[in-house]
Amino acid sequence: MGTIRKNDVGTVFRWTVFEDAAVDVSGATVRQVKFVRPDATQLTKTLAFSSKSGDTGNGSDGRVEYIGVSGDINQRGTYKWSLHLEWPTWRGDSWHGTFTVEDTLF
């Protein structure tokens, strides 16, 4: 992922969910990414299946993504993220991490 700047739109956040190997997330009834902004406000967004060249993106390979929209990245600083997944028999938070947002140049 390249530099992310405040007020960017269209930034693609992509993950592969795995435990020893890719997890088939096609049956997950809830697929979310939860962001915590630098001021501690929270933002929850629905994840889509992510496709790679030549496939339909059905979640069987564990690939999910979120494409940012206006208002998502509205502060500079360090953002936290966590994936939240639910199946009929299990739910919980998966991976987590951080990314940095820089000010715009003008």
Side-chain angles (χ1 to χ4, degrees):
M1 183 182 311
T3 301
I4 301 173
R5 298 206 183 274
K6 181 180 167 186
N7 298 319
D8 276 358
V9 173
T11 301
V12 178
F13 299 92
R14 189 172 290 132
W15 300 270
T16 301
V17 179
F18 67 90
E19 284 184 33
D20 297 331
V23 173
D24 182 348
V25 296
S26 62
T29 55
V30 175
R31 296 177 311 276
Q32 297 174 328
V33 59
K34 298 178 179 183
F35 294 105
V36 179
R37 293 181 176 119
D39 70 356
T41 56
Q42 297 183 19
L43 181 67
T44 300
K45 296 292 185 168
T46 300
L47 292 166
F49 297 132
S50 179
S51 62
K52 50 187 174 181
S53 180
D55 96 16
T56 58
N58 63 13
S60 62
D61 59 0
R63 292 169 53 98
V64 292
E65 69 182 18
Y66 174 70
I67 300 174
V69 297
S70 180
D72 285 350
I73 303 172
N74 61 3
Q75 301 168 26
R76 71 173 188 83
T78 301
Y79 283 64
K80 298 176 186 176
W81 59 266
S82 177
L83 300 186
H84 178 80
L85 302 166
E86 295 184 17
W87 283 265
T89 59
W90 184 89
R91 71 175 162 204
D93 293 326
S94 182
W95 294 3
H96 61 276
T98 62
F99 62 92
T100 301
V101 173
E102 297 180 9
D103 264 331
T104 54
L105 297 177
F106 302 99

